[in-house]
Amino acid sequence: MAYLTLSQFLEQQTGNLTPELAKVIDTIANTCKTIDQALQKGALAGVLGSAEHENVQGETQKKLDVISNDYLIDALKVHPHVGGLASEELDEFTPAQENGEYLVLFDPLDGSSNIDINMCVGTIFSILPAKNAVTQSADFMQAGVHQVAAGYVLYGPSTMMALTVGAGVVFFTFDPESQQFLLTTENIQVAADTKEYAINASNQRHWEEPVKRYIDELLAGKTGPREKDFNMRWVACMVGDIHRILCRSGIFMYPYDLKDPKKAGRLRLMYEANPMSMLMEQAGGASTTGRVRILEIEPTELHQRVPVIIGSKNEVDLVTQYHH
């Protein structure tokens, strides 16, 4: 069976996709291949552990999330169609090319605490239209509905990319022999109902009452008001949890909690919540903070955090209903 490569797939797309946007997505994908190679070497490359550690030569080792960030910055800031970059790893945005048509935001290595135990990690990216010939910080302050593309690369047993350009969600699988991302699944759909949920239960004492009520009902299983048993799954890597939901439905929650009332949530709006919400909605799922649709939030700062309740539509709607 002949599979379409990512480049061939992008040539056939319409909607948001312009030739310029296709080139930006291609560059992100190629950079993720380089990140994948560094991850595959693992401890052999001397890139695990803390950035503060020196190796035997007395050189300071870079953590893989720093290395991944450097790869993406280096590849994208010289891209003719990129006006500016914002990374979860950096306080300020990085200017790129004058008259670049797009802004790229990314979490270079989501779930990086998983690296040292050889569990899955991923790269998340979001692409917005540029506002000005010379990019300003304010140009990034666009609600998620304005994203022209979003996706992630999951570095797991096989390396996969999930992508949307606003016309549904597709999966690519990286083929180590041809060194290409090949289209393996089209028209990803998330079922409206599910029996799986993902939440960090150790924070239970800090949750608001609507979330406590919802989780208590799931835990009660067949004997409770939901009248069915649920399974809990938690990967500690948002890319892994969202990928599972896109594959077989579910709900992922990182809700607002009272542990630190000054922090609205744990996950960052621009680098995690917005791109994952675009993917989820494009696959028929839903995504809210419990109170508002995530893609409609007008950002006020680059590293803004929000609560996230995302996945199968009927479950997300129920949690949201409990908040009102």
Side-chain angles (χ1 to χ4, degrees), residues 19-32:
E20 294 78 18
L21 179 56
K23 287 175 182 167
V24 175
I25 293 168
D26 237 352
T27 297
I28 293 169
N30 286 331
T31 308
C32 288

Side-chain angles (χ1 to χ4, degrees), residues 18 20 80-83 97-103 128-131:
T18 61
E20 294 78 18
H81 304 302
V82 176
Q97 302 300 302
E98 275 193 38
N99 298 308
E101 296 93 329
Y102 298 102
L103 307 177
L128 290 165
K131 293 285 195 184

Side-chain angles (χ1 to χ4, degrees), residues 23-315:
K23 287 175 182 167
V24 175
I25 293 168
D26 237 352
T27 297
I28 293 169
N30 286 331
T31 308
C32 288
K33 293 176 193 176
T34 311
I35 293 170
D36 187 44
Q37 285 178 338
L39 285 164
Q40 293 292 334
K41 286 185 176 177
L44 301 175
V47 290
L48 300 189
S50 162
E52 285 75 46
H53 290 169
E54 290 188 349
N55 64 16
V56 289
Q57 283 83 31
E59 299 163 331
T60 301
Q61 289 179 312
K62 285 187 178 179
K63 287 174 78 171
L64 268 168
D65 45 7
V66 178
I67 291 170
S68 303
N69 186 64
D70 290 348
Y71 285 156
L72 285 160
I73 295 279
D74 290 348
L76 291 165
K77 75 179 178 188
V78 297
H79 197 291
H81 304 302
V82 176
L85 307 164
S87 164
E88 187 179 303
E89 292 288 318
L90 301 173
D91 291 340
E92 305 294 331
F93 82 97
T94 302
Q97 302 300 302
E98 275 193 38
N99 298 308
E101 296 93 329
Y102 298 102
L103 307 177
V104 183
L105 304 96
F106 52 84
D107 180 350
L109 213 56
D110 173 63
S112 51
S113 63
N114 278 347
I115 294 171
D116 290 342
I117 56 167
N118 201 25
M119 294 281 281
C120 72
V121 290
T123 297
I124 311 172
F125 61 91
S126 162
I127 305 177
L128 290 165
K131 293 285 195 184
N132 293 294
V134 177
T135 297
Q136 312 294 319
S137 183
D139 298 346
F140 290 91
M141 300 301 121
Q142 302 180 50
V145 288
H146 298 297
Q147 293 173 107
V148 291
Y152 60 76
V153 172
L154 171 69
Y155 310 105
S158 62
T159 296
M160 294 186 72
M161 173 188 273
L163 175 69
T164 181
V165 291
V169 178
V170 292
F171 284 164
F172 297 85
T173 302
F174 181 65
D175 172 27
E177 288 178 19
S178 66
Q179 294 287 299
Q180 296 279 356
F181 278 104
L182 303 178
L183 180 67
T184 42
T185 319
E186 293 187 82
N187 191 29
I188 306 295
Q189 289 294 308
V190 174
D193 295 297
T194 186
K195 290 186 173 183
E196 287 191 344
Y197 68 102
I199 193 165
N200 184 347
S202 67
N203 290 326
Q204 183 166 356
R205 66 193 183 282
H206 303 296
W207 295 339
E208 293 181 296
E209 284 308 315
V211 173
K212 284 183 179 173
R213 173 188 173 186
Y214 174 73
I215 296 298
D216 283 347
E217 289 178 356
L218 301 192
L219 291 171
K222 283 181 179 168
T223 61
R226 301 303 304 277
E227 298 180 338
K228 66 178 181 180
D229 291 332
F230 285 77
N231 285 325
M232 193 183 103
R233 298 284 182 265
W234 183 253
V235 180
C237 164
M238 191 185 189
V239 170
D241 279 309
I242 296 300
H243 189 73
R244 183 186 60 253
I245 293 170
L246 289 174
C247 288
R248 65 183 197 207
S249 80
I251 180 170
F252 169 89
M253 304 174 69
Y254 219 122
Y256 174 76
D257 66 42
L258 305 169
K259 184 164 58 177
D260 186 350
K262 292 195 283 289
K263 278 187 187 162
R266 168 83 187 273
L267 300 175
R268 287 175 174 85
L269 173 64
M270 313 281 277
Y271 313 106
E272 296 164 317
N274 272 342
M276 292 307 200
S277 298
M278 183 181 184
L279 285 165
M280 194 60 65
E281 288 195 7
Q282 285 289 322
S287 181
T288 77
T289 64
R291 292 171 170 83
V292 296
R293 180 185 174 212
I294 283 174
L295 289 179
E296 291 177 357
I297 297 171
E298 297 284 347
T300 54
E301 55 178 299
L302 270 181
H303 294 282
Q304 186 170 339
R305 295 172 189 259
V306 292
V308 173
I309 296 165
I310 183 170
S312 294
K313 189 174 189 312
N314 290 345
E315 295 300 317

